[in-house]
Amino acid sequence: MLRYDSTSSSAGSSSGSLSSSSSSSSSKPPQQDIDGLLAGAGYKVRSSELRQVAQRLERLETAMGNSPADFSQLASDAILYNPSDLACWVDSLLTEFAEPPPTCSSDFIVDPVNNQTVVNSAWTAAEPHTPQVHQNITYDEQQSLDNQLTVVTAMEEDSGIRLVHMLMTCAECVQSGDLSLATSLIDDMQGLLTHVNTVCGIGKVAGHFIDALSRRIFQGMGGGSVNGGSAFENEILYHHFYEACPYLKFAHFTANQAILEAFDGHDCVHVVDFNLMHGLQWPALIQALALRPGGPPLLRLTGIGPPSPDGRDSLREIGLRLAELARSVNVRFAFRGVAASRLEDVKPWMLQVNPKEAVAVNSIMQLHRLLGCEQTRNSPIDTVLSWIRGLNPKIMTVVEQEANHNQPGFLDRFTEALYYYSTMFDSLEACRIQPEKALAEIYIQREIGNVVSCEGSARVERHEPLAKWRRRLSGAGFRALRLGSNAFKQASMLLTLFSAEGYSVEENEGCLSLGWHSSPLIAASAWQAVPAWDNHMSSS
Amino acid sequence: MARSNEVNLNECKMVVPLNTWVLISNFKLAYNLLRRPDGTFNRHLAEFLDRKVPANANPVDGVFSFDVLIDRGTSLLSRIYRPTTAEEPQLNIAELEKPVMAAVVPVIIFFHGGSFAHSSANSAIYDTLCRRLVSLCKAVVVSVNYRRAPENRYPCAYDDGWTALKWVNSRPWLQSQKDSKVHIYLAGDSSGGNIAHHVALRAIESGIDVLGNILLNPMFGGQERTESEKRLDGKYFVTLRDRDWYWRAYLPEGEDRDHLACNPFGPNGRSLEGIKFPKSLVVVAGLDLIQDWQLAYVEGLKKAGQEVKLLYMEQATIGFYLLPNNNHFHTVMDEISKFVHSFNS
């Protein structure tokens, strides 16, 4: 299976120069003076600080020399953050294992969540820092893959490569407007499909891309009924996608962990969920809050979702079920549903946020839908980010597909999508439960259709990579909260429990991503609004 | 005890540039956190701490990379690094496996180091090293993401290396134009060097031609405590204790360091006399505490009549090849380049 990452990165730059990096916090000093060779090894240290860092490493070494056996035990319990930032990393270790460091002029060290130094928040845990958040789901035990997957013959491999080549050529024709050639290529490709195994691998994905291209050519730019499924249908597909692979579970789990930590010490908390669906994310949070030392807070949940056409109030139904659960674990709970077809139709007053509450805004794969065509000053994304900021949330959890599917050029988008969804389909091969697997594939297929065959306001799947989101959110007055080693560890453990081998969690400057075989497919990050008086940017 | 510790730290600071010292000391510290006295390994924390980079099909400094799943059953991934050519400065996704164009293209199968327990093919330090190898040697590099200890003991790493070798050998697009064969070299640093040796052994009766072995500070050992181990213990980033820990983690339970994986020319080793073993380039760092074992390895090859070139870098410590800020680095890279392009390869 071919895979590659076409986002250009500074990886492998042997000249030592630093390309533009994604700064996660607007208050970080500019990236000059970073040691280029260490940057190539994945570490950010300023040349001017090298000596200091070296001295602290020495102190740490001496401290460790006195009690080496305690170290690995302490390491298991400590919560560590952002290992790329060597200076702060070493300081946090020093505080854990030795005496506090001398005053560090770097401002990375302040933990914005509770205004203490990052290292202190690691200290305060006598027991594990937060109660375990585990999802209350049933999931068949994954068996290891046996020879069920058909062996790919040389001819198939060859046809597979040819298919990819033809897909690219076809996409190129579509971009340049040569629709007659594109059409004949579609025919050829459909013929080629018969020589290729379409049960798995490149054949399966290629089939979906051929369909999407076909739809684009024959139905015109409006796109048509790709995303035409009813809200009810979409919820079902989403639920099966949730069950079939770990991406959504990871999203929920990681966001919940961060929300739980952000809510620490607050008695009135309010979660705003930008896409309630079946409320799959919330039972675990409710249970975790119930187990909180000191007792649970009053929890309000506002769930946003599309209006139900047939008189059902599906939002309310979900709310009732969650209320039932909350009651059973003695968590005071209130639910409010906000029906809106599009996120940009939601106004902040609908959420009825109380100034005394700690607010968490939770967006699982919703923000990209706001990146619609016109990038005007008051585009939907700016408007929404602005009112989120106005709510002054304790935390905003953002999970997005780690993909570049919003480029203006069609061929670029197509190429990215081909790679991204091949990888995703590949990971789905590991799923052995039906109908979850089949319906999950339809869910993904619809996404592919939207990316490839829709344009304008119909194209809502405008995924952008984490680096872009970092810039966008920083520019909108948000600062990244770092997800630390405990979140990483628990995410990794969750994966081992619920998923096949091949998935991997990675840490990237405070954000976590989940991928298949070293290709990240979904990225989770947490944010907080920068206080207005600190803001150097104009608010939109 | 604290006093001699001080001396040690000062000594090793004098022989490496400051940024190298920071890099390797940081690894040392981090690795101390990961090894537990009971022999288990904090894998989650290790993965959290390891700095990784994605593959990149867009050429950076003339090199592009992509990941391939070589064996689904063991999730064996490899990262392939290829040089761009003047005629084709950029390939698209369908052309990543386009046949190599030159008359002779060395294909270096690389096994990263980490004492069998640490690092991955997509670790930043190894991604960088492999890219340098491509540029300097005008070679294709296949970096194998072998299974690691203690979760996967001997012979898993060798099995994965063997799988990779067979895979590389059977890729038509890696064949040199001159003779329609894949020109294969095995290379590795630390545990990777050890793996290269053992994979070459396995290749002997298979009919797969390995043209050469490149061993960078290869990880070997034995029950005996050698002079260099006693003299250099704890002086230059590495202690005997941690070496012992890694062998206990890799070797089958109950085995000692005279096991043939660890000590190929020891009491349980196999004689290579009369065997068609690839020529070897062995790099030994003069400040590496296991150098006596590495030198014994070289002797063992010579005694068996095998072709071997030793590069002894006197003032070099472990990891000198990770950053291009010292003379040893450049010397060694030149030699490797010559090695894979030598006449009759």
Coordinates of all heavy atoms in Angstrom, one line a residue, chain A residues 337-414:
Chain A
G337 N -31.3 21.6 24.0 CA -30.9 21.3 22.6 C -31.1 22.5 21.8 O -32.0 23.3 22.0
V338 N -30.1 22.7 20.9 CA -30.2 23.9 20.0 C -30.3 23.3 18.6 O -29.3 22.7 18.1 CB -29.0 24.8 20.2 CG1 -29.0 25.9 19.1 CG2 -29.0 25.5 21.5
A339 N -31.4 23.5 17.9 CA -31.5 22.9 16.5 C -31.1 24.0 15.5 O -31.6 25.1 15.5 CB -33.0 22.5 16.3
A340 N -30.1 23.6 14.7 CA -29.6 24.5 13.7 C -29.1 23.6 12.5 O -28.4 22.7 12.8 CB -28.5 25.4 14.2
S341 N -29.4 24.0 11.3 CA -28.9 23.2 10.1 C -27.5 23.5 9.9 O -26.7 22.6 9.4 CB -29.7 23.6 8.8 OG -30.9 24.1 9.1
R342 N -27.0 24.7 10.2 CA -25.6 25.0 10.1 C -25.1 25.7 11.3 O -25.8 26.4 12.0 CB -25.4 26.0 8.9 CG -26.0 25.5 7.6 CD -25.8 26.6 6.5 NE -26.2 27.9 7.0 CZ -25.9 29.1 6.4 NH1 -25.2 29.0 5.3 NH2 -26.4 30.2 6.8
L343 N -23.8 25.4 11.6 CA -23.2 25.9 12.8 C -23.2 27.5 12.8 O -23.4 28.1 13.8 CB -21.8 25.4 12.9 CG -21.1 25.6 14.3 CD1 -22.0 25.1 15.4 CD2 -19.8 24.8 14.2
E344 N -23.1 28.1 11.6 CA -23.0 29.5 11.6 C -24.4 30.2 11.9 O -24.5 31.4 12.1 CB -22.5 30.0 10.2 CG -23.3 29.5 9.0 CD -22.4 28.4 8.3 OE1 -22.0 27.5 8.9 OE2 -22.2 28.6 7.1
D345 N -25.5 29.3 11.9 CA -26.8 29.9 12.3 C -27.0 30.0 13.8 O -27.9 30.6 14.2 CB -27.9 29.0 11.7 CG -27.9 29.0 10.2 OD1 -27.4 30.0 9.6 OD2 -28.4 28.0 9.6
V346 N -26.0 29.4 14.5 CA -26.2 29.4 16.0 C -25.7 30.8 16.5 O -24.6 31.3 16.1 CB -25.3 28.3 16.6 CG1 -25.3 28.4 18.1 CG2 -25.9 26.9 16.2
K347 N -26.5 31.4 17.3 CA -26.0 32.6 18.0 C -25.8 32.4 19.4 O -26.4 31.5 20.1 CB -27.2 33.7 17.9 CG -27.6 34.0 16.5 CD -26.6 34.8 15.7 CE -27.0 34.9 14.2 NZ -26.2 34.1 13.4
P348 N -24.8 33.1 20.0 CA -24.4 32.7 21.4 C -25.5 32.8 22.4 O -25.5 32.1 23.4 CB -23.3 33.7 21.7 CG -23.3 34.7 20.6 CD -24.0 34.1 19.4
W349 N -26.5 33.8 22.2 CA -27.5 33.9 23.2 C -28.4 32.6 23.3 O -29.0 32.3 24.3 CB -28.4 35.1 22.9 CG -29.1 35.1 21.6 CD1 -28.7 35.7 20.4 CD2 -30.3 34.4 21.2 NE1 -29.6 35.5 19.4 CE2 -30.6 34.6 19.9 CE3 -31.2 33.5 21.9 CZ2 -31.7 34.1 19.2 CZ3 -32.3 33.0 21.3 CH2 -32.5 33.3 19.9
M350 N -28.4 31.8 22.2 CA -29.1 30.5 22.2 C -28.6 29.6 23.2 O -29.2 28.6 23.7 CB -29.1 29.9 20.8 CG -29.8 30.7 19.8 SD -29.5 29.8 18.2 CE -30.2 31.1 17.1
L351 N -27.3 29.8 23.6 CA -26.6 28.8 24.5 C -26.9 29.1 25.9 O -26.7 28.3 26.8 CB -25.1 28.8 24.2 CG -24.8 28.6 22.7 CD1 -23.2 28.7 22.5 CD2 -25.2 27.2 22.2
Q352 N -27.4 30.3 26.2 CA -27.7 30.7 27.5 C -26.6 30.4 28.5 O -26.8 29.7 29.5 CB -29.0 30.1 28.0 CG -30.1 30.5 27.1 CD -31.5 30.4 27.8 OE1 -31.6 29.7 28.7 NE2 -32.4 31.1 27.2
V353 N -25.4 30.9 28.2 CA -24.3 30.7 29.1 C -24.4 31.7 30.3 O -24.6 32.8 30.1 CB -22.9 30.9 28.3 CG1 -21.8 31.0 29.3 CG2 -22.7 29.8 27.4
N354 N -24.1 31.1 31.4 CA -24.2 31.9 32.7 C -22.8 32.4 33.0 O -21.8 31.5 33.0 CB -24.7 31.0 33.8 CG -24.9 31.7 35.1 OD1 -24.1 32.5 35.5 ND2 -26.1 31.4 35.7
P355 N -22.6 33.6 33.3 CA -21.2 34.1 33.5 C -20.5 33.4 34.6 O -19.2 33.4 34.7 CB -21.4 35.6 33.8 CG -22.8 35.8 33.9 CD -23.5 34.7 33.3
K356 N -21.2 32.8 35.6 CA -20.5 32.1 36.7 C -20.1 30.7 36.3 O -19.4 30.1 37.1 CB -21.4 32.0 37.9 CG -21.9 33.4 38.5 CD -22.1 33.3 40.0 CE -22.6 34.6 40.5 NZ -24.1 34.8 40.2
E357 N -20.5 30.2 35.2 CA -20.1 28.8 34.9 C -18.8 28.7 34.2 O -18.3 29.6 33.6 CB -21.1 28.2 33.8 CG -22.5 28.4 34.1 CD -23.4 28.0 32.9 OE1 -23.1 28.4 31.8 OE2 -24.3 27.2 33.2
A358 N -18.2 27.5 34.4 CA -17.0 27.2 33.6 C -17.5 26.5 32.3 O -18.2 25.6 32.4 CB -16.1 26.2 34.4
V359 N -17.1 27.1 31.2 CA -17.6 26.7 29.9 C -16.6 25.9 29.2 O -15.4 26.3 29.1 CB -18.1 27.9 29.1 CG1 -18.5 27.4 27.7 CG2 -19.2 28.6 29.8
A360 N -17.0 24.8 28.6 CA -16.2 24.0 27.7 C -16.9 24.0 26.3 O -18.0 23.6 26.3 CB -15.9 22.6 28.2
V361 N -16.2 24.4 25.3 CA -16.8 24.3 23.9 C -16.1 23.1 23.3 O -14.9 23.0 23.2 CB -16.5 25.6 23.1 CG1 -16.9 25.4 21.7 CG2 -17.2 26.8 23.8
N362 N -16.9 22.2 22.7 CA -16.4 20.9 22.2 C -16.8 20.8 20.7 O -18.0 20.8 20.4 CB -17.1 19.8 23.0 CG -16.5 18.4 22.5 OD1 -15.4 18.0 22.9 ND2 -17.4 17.7 21.8
S363 N -15.7 20.8 19.9 CA -16.0 20.7 18.4 C -15.3 19.5 17.8 O -14.1 19.5 17.7 CB -15.5 22.0 17.8 OG -15.5 21.8 16.4
I364 N -16.1 18.5 17.5 CA -15.5 17.3 16.9 C -15.8 17.4 15.4 O -16.9 17.1 15.0 CB -16.1 16.0 17.5 CG1 -16.0 16.1 19.0 CG2 -15.4 14.8 17.0 CD1 -14.7 15.8 19.7
M365 N -14.8 17.7 14.7 CA -14.9 17.7 13.2 C -16.1 18.7 12.7 O -16.8 18.3 11.8 CB -15.1 16.3 12.7 CG -13.9 15.5 13.1 SD -13.8 13.8 12.6 CE -15.5 13.3 12.4
Q366 N -16.2 19.8 13.4 CA -17.2 20.8 12.9 C -16.6 22.1 12.4 O -17.2 22.7 11.5 CB -18.1 21.1 14.1 CG -18.9 19.9 14.6 CD -19.7 19.3 13.5 OE1 -20.5 19.9 12.9 NE2 -19.4 18.0 13.3
L367 N -15.5 22.5 12.9 CA -15.0 23.8 12.5 C -14.7 23.9 11.0 O -14.9 25.0 10.4 CB -13.8 24.2 13.3 CG -14.0 24.5 14.8 CD1 -12.7 25.0 15.5 CD2 -15.1 25.6 15.0
H368 N -14.3 22.8 10.5 CA -13.9 22.9 9.0 C -15.1 23.2 8.1 O -14.9 23.7 7.0 CB -13.2 21.6 8.6 CG -14.1 20.4 8.6 ND1 -13.9 19.5 9.6 CD2 -15.1 20.0 7.8 CE1 -14.8 18.5 9.4 NE2 -15.5 18.8 8.3
R369 N -16.3 22.9 8.7 CA -17.5 23.2 7.9 C -17.7 24.6 7.7 O -18.5 25.1 6.9 CB -18.7 22.5 8.5 CG -18.4 21.0 8.8 CD -19.6 20.4 9.6 NE -20.7 20.0 8.7 CZ -20.7 18.8 8.2 NH1 -19.8 17.9 8.3 NH2 -21.8 18.5 7.4
L370 N -17.1 25.5 8.5 CA -17.3 26.9 8.5 C -16.3 27.6 7.5 O -16.4 28.8 7.4 CB -17.1 27.5 9.9 CG -18.0 27.0 11.0 CD1 -17.5 27.4 12.3 CD2 -19.4 27.5 10.7
L371 N -15.5 26.8 6.9 CA -14.4 27.4 6.0 C -14.9 27.7 4.6 O -14.1 27.8 3.7 CB -13.2 26.5 6.0 CG -12.5 26.4 7.3 CD1 -11.3 25.4 7.2 CD2 -12.0 27.7 7.8
G372 N -16.2 27.8 4.5 CA -16.8 28.0 3.1 C -16.1 29.0 2.2 O -15.1 29.6 2.6
C373 N -16.5 29.0 1.0 CA -15.7 29.6 -0.1 C -15.2 31.0 0.2 O -14.1 31.3 0.0 CB -16.6 29.5 -1.3 SG -18.3 29.5 -1.0
E374 N -16.1 31.9 0.4 CA -15.7 33.3 0.5 C -14.9 33.6 1.8 O -15.4 33.5 2.9 CB -16.9 34.3 0.5 CG -18.1 33.9 -0.3 CD -17.8 33.7 -1.8 OE1 -17.1 34.5 -2.3 OE2 -18.2 32.6 -2.3
Q375 N -13.6 34.0 1.5 CA -12.8 34.3 2.7 C -12.9 35.8 3.0 O -11.9 36.5 2.9 CB -11.3 33.9 2.4 CG -11.2 32.4 2.3 CD -11.5 31.7 3.6 OE1 -11.1 32.1 4.7 NE2 -12.3 30.6 3.6
T376 N -14.1 36.3 3.3 CA -14.2 37.7 3.5 C -13.9 38.0 5.0 O -13.6 37.0 5.8 CB -15.7 38.1 3.3 OG1 -16.5 37.4 4.2 CG2 -16.1 37.9 1.9
R377 N -13.9 39.2 5.4 CA -13.6 39.6 6.7 C -14.5 38.9 7.7 O -14.0 38.5 8.8 CB -13.6 41.1 6.8 CG -12.9 41.5 8.0 CD -12.2 42.9 7.9 NE -11.2 42.8 9.0 CZ -11.4 43.2 10.2 NH1 -12.5 43.7 10.6 NH2 -10.4 43.2 11.1
N378 N -15.8 38.9 7.5 CA -16.7 38.3 8.5 C -17.2 36.9 8.0 O -18.3 36.7 8.0 CB -17.9 39.2 8.7 CG -17.4 40.4 9.6 OD1 -16.6 40.2 10.5 ND2 -17.9 41.6 9.2
S379 N -16.2 36.1 7.6 CA -16.6 34.8 7.1 C -17.1 34.0 8.3 O -16.8 34.3 9.5 CB -15.4 34.1 6.5 OG -14.3 34.1 7.5
P380 N -17.9 32.9 8.1 CA -18.5 32.2 9.2 C -17.5 31.8 10.2 O -17.8 31.8 11.4 CB -19.1 31.0 8.5 CG -19.3 31.4 7.1 CD -18.3 32.5 6.8
I381 N -16.3 31.4 9.8 CA -15.3 30.9 10.8 C -14.9 32.0 11.8 O -14.9 31.8 13.0 CB -14.1 30.2 10.2 CG1 -13.1 29.6 11.2 CG2 -13.3 31.2 9.3 CD1 -13.6 28.4 11.9
D382 N -14.7 33.2 11.2 CA -14.3 34.3 12.1 C -15.4 34.7 13.0 O -15.2 34.9 14.2 CB -14.0 35.5 11.2 CG -12.8 35.3 10.4 OD1 -11.8 34.6 10.9 OD2 -12.7 35.7 9.2
T383 N -16.7 34.7 12.5 CA -17.8 35.0 13.4 C -17.9 34.0 14.5 O -18.1 34.4 15.7 CB -19.1 35.0 12.5 OG1 -18.9 35.7 11.3 CG2 -20.3 35.5 13.3
V384 N -17.9 32.8 14.2 CA -18.1 31.8 15.2 C -16.9 31.8 16.3 O -17.2 31.8 17.5 CB -18.2 30.3 14.6 CG1 -18.2 29.3 15.7 CG2 -19.5 30.3 13.8
L385 N -15.7 31.9 15.8 CA -14.6 31.9 16.7 C -14.7 33.1 17.6 O -14.3 33.1 18.8 CB -13.3 31.9 15.9 CG -12.8 30.6 15.3 CD1 -11.5 30.7 14.6 CD2 -12.7 29.5 16.4
S386 N -15.2 34.2 17.0 CA -15.3 35.4 17.8 C -16.3 35.3 18.9 O -16.0 35.7 20.1 CB -15.6 36.6 16.9 OG -16.1 37.7 17.6
W387 N -17.5 34.7 18.6 CA -18.4 34.6 19.8 C -18.0 33.5 20.7 O -18.3 33.6 21.9 CB -19.9 34.5 19.3 CG -20.4 33.3 18.5 CD1 -20.9 33.3 17.3 CD2 -20.6 32.0 19.0 NE1 -21.3 32.1 16.9 CE2 -21.2 31.2 17.9 CE3 -20.3 31.3 20.2 CZ2 -21.5 29.9 18.0 CZ3 -20.7 29.9 20.3 CH2 -21.2 29.3 19.2
I388 N -17.3 32.5 20.3 CA -16.7 31.5 21.2 C -15.8 32.2 22.2 O -15.9 32.0 23.4 CB -16.0 30.4 20.5 CG1 -16.9 29.5 19.7 CG2 -15.3 29.5 21.6 CD1 -16.1 28.5 18.9
R389 N -15.0 33.1 21.6 CA -14.1 33.8 22.5 C -14.8 34.7 23.5 O -14.4 34.8 24.6 CB -13.2 34.6 21.6 CG -12.0 35.2 22.3 CD -10.8 35.3 21.5 NE -9.8 36.0 22.3 CZ -9.6 37.3 22.2 NH1 -10.2 38.0 21.3 NH2 -8.7 37.9 22.9
G390 N -15.9 35.2 23.0 CA -16.8 36.1 23.9 C -17.3 35.3 25.0 O -17.6 35.9 26.1
L391 N -17.5 34.0 24.9 CA -18.0 33.2 26.0 C -17.0 33.0 27.1 O -17.2 32.4 28.1 CB -18.5 31.8 25.5 CG -19.6 31.7 24.5 CD1 -19.9 30.3 24.1 CD2 -20.9 32.3 25.2
N392 N -15.7 33.3 26.7 CA -14.6 33.1 27.6 C -14.6 31.7 28.2 O -14.6 31.4 29.4 CB -14.6 34.1 28.8 CG -13.3 34.1 29.5 OD1 -12.2 33.7 28.9 ND2 -13.3 34.5 30.8
P393 N -14.5 30.7 27.3 CA -14.5 29.3 27.8 C -13.3 28.9 28.5 O -12.2 29.4 28.2 CB -14.7 28.5 26.5 CG -14.1 29.3 25.5 CD -14.3 30.7 25.9
K394 N -13.4 28.0 29.5 CA -12.2 27.5 30.2 C -11.4 26.7 29.2 O -10.2 26.6 29.4 CB -12.7 26.6 31.4 CG -12.9 27.3 32.7 CD -11.6 27.4 33.5 CE -11.7 28.5 34.5 NZ -12.0 29.8 33.9
I395 N -12.1 26.1 28.3 CA -11.4 25.3 27.3 C -12.2 25.1 26.1 O -13.5 25.1 26.1 CB -11.1 23.9 27.9 CG1 -10.2 23.1 27.0 CG2 -12.4 23.1 28.2 CD1 -9.6 21.8 27.7
M396 N -11.6 25.0 25.0 CA -12.2 24.7 23.7 C -11.5 23.5 23.2 O -10.3 23.5 22.9 CB -12.2 25.8 22.7 CG -12.7 25.4 21.4 SD -12.9 26.8 20.2 CE -11.2 27.2 19.9
T397 N -12.2 22.4 23.1 CA -11.5 21.2 22.5 C -11.9 21.1 21.0 O -13.0 21.2 20.6 CB -12.0 19.9 23.2 OG1 -13.4 19.9 23.3 CG2 -11.4 19.8 24.6
V398 N -10.8 20.9 20.2 CA -11.0 20.9 18.8 C -10.4 19.6 18.3 O -9.2 19.3 18.5 CB -10.3 22.1 18.1 CG1 -10.3 22.0 16.6 CG2 -10.9 23.4 18.6
V399 N -11.2 18.8 17.6 CA -10.7 17.6 16.9 C -11.0 17.8 15.4 O -12.1 18.1 15.0 CB -11.3 16.3 17.4 CG1 -10.8 15.1 16.7 CG2 -11.0 16.2 18.9
E400 N -10.0 17.6 14.6 CA -10.2 17.7 13.1 C -9.5 16.7 12.4 O -8.5 16.1 12.9 CB -9.7 19.1 12.7 CG -10.5 20.3 13.0 CD -11.8 20.4 12.2 OE1 -11.7 19.9 11.0 OE2 -12.9 20.8 12.7
Q401 N -9.9 16.4 11.2 CA -9.2 15.5 10.3 C -7.9 16.1 10.0 O -7.8 17.3 9.7 CB -10.0 15.2 9.0 CG -11.2 14.4 9.1 CD -12.5 15.3 9.3 OE1 -12.4 16.3 9.9 NE2 -13.6 14.8 8.9
E402 N -6.8 15.3 10.1 CA -5.5 15.8 9.8 C -5.2 15.6 8.3 O -4.6 14.7 7.9 CB -4.5 15.0 10.6 CG -3.0 15.5 10.5 CD -2.8 16.9 10.8 OE1 -3.7 17.6 11.4 OE2 -1.7 17.4 10.6
A403 N -5.8 16.5 7.5 CA -5.7 16.4 6.1 C -5.8 17.8 5.5 O -6.3 18.7 6.1 CB -6.9 15.6 5.6
N404 N -5.3 17.9 4.2 CA -5.3 19.2 3.5 C -6.3 19.1 2.4 O -5.9 19.0 1.2 CB -3.9 19.4 3.0 CG -3.7 20.9 2.9 OD1 -4.6 21.7 3.0 ND2 -2.5 21.3 2.5
H405 N -7.6 19.1 2.7 CA -8.6 18.9 1.7 C -9.3 20.2 1.4 O -10.5 20.2 0.9 CB -9.7 17.9 2.2 CG -9.1 16.5 2.3 ND1 -9.7 15.6 3.2 CD2 -8.0 15.9 1.8 CE1 -8.9 14.5 3.1 NE2 -7.9 14.6 2.3
N406 N -8.7 21.3 1.7 CA -9.4 22.6 1.3 C -8.5 23.5 0.4 O -8.6 24.7 0.4 CB -9.7 23.3 2.6 CG -10.7 24.4 2.4 OD1 -11.5 24.4 1.5 ND2 -10.7 25.5 3.2
Q407 N -7.6 22.8 -0.3 CA -6.8 23.6 -1.2 C -7.6 24.1 -2.4 O -8.5 23.4 -2.8 CB -5.6 22.8 -1.7 CG -4.7 22.3 -0.6 CD -3.8 21.2 -1.0 OE1 -2.7 21.4 -1.5 NE2 -4.2 20.0 -0.8
P408 N -7.3 25.2 -2.9 CA -8.1 25.7 -4.1 C -8.0 24.9 -5.3 O -9.0 24.7 -6.0 CB -7.5 27.1 -4.3 CG -6.2 27.2 -3.6 CD -6.3 26.2 -2.5
G409 N -6.8 24.3 -5.6 CA -6.6 23.5 -6.8 C -7.3 22.1 -6.6 O -7.0 21.4 -5.7
F410 N -8.1 21.7 -7.6 CA -8.8 20.5 -7.5 C -7.8 19.3 -7.5 O -8.0 18.3 -6.7 CB -9.8 20.3 -8.7 CG -10.5 19.0 -8.7 CD1 -11.4 18.7 -7.7 CD2 -10.1 18.0 -9.6 CE1 -12.0 17.4 -7.7 CE2 -10.7 16.8 -9.6 CZ -11.7 16.5 -8.6
L411 N -6.8 19.3 -8.3 CA -5.9 18.2 -8.4 C -5.2 17.9 -7.1 O -5.1 16.8 -6.6 CB -4.9 18.4 -9.6 CG -3.9 17.2 -9.8 CD1 -4.7 15.9 -10.1 CD2 -3.0 17.6 -11.0
D412 N -4.8 19.0 -6.5 CA -4.1 18.9 -5.2 C -5.0 18.3 -4.2 O -4.6 17.4 -3.4 CB -3.7 20.3 -4.7 CG -2.5 20.9 -5.5 OD1 -1.7 20.1 -6.0 OD2 -2.4 22.1 -5.6
R413 N -6.2 18.8 -4.1 CA -7.2 18.2 -3.2 C -7.4 16.8 -3.4 O -7.5 16.0 -2.5 CB -8.6 18.9 -3.4 CG -8.8 20.1 -2.5 CD -10.2 20.6 -2.3 NE -11.2 20.2 -3.2 CZ -11.6 21.0 -4.1 NH1 -11.1 22.2 -4.3 NH2 -12.6 20.6 -4.9
F414 N -7.6 16.4 -4.7 CA -7.9 15.1 -5.1 C -6.8 14.1 -4.6 O -7.0 13.1 -4.0 CB -8.1 15.0 -6.6 CG -8.5 13.7 -7.1 CD1 -9.8 13.3 -7.1 CD2 -7.5 12.7 -7.5 CE1 -10.2 12.0 -7.5 CE2 -7.9 11.5 -7.9 CZ -9.3 11.1 -7.9

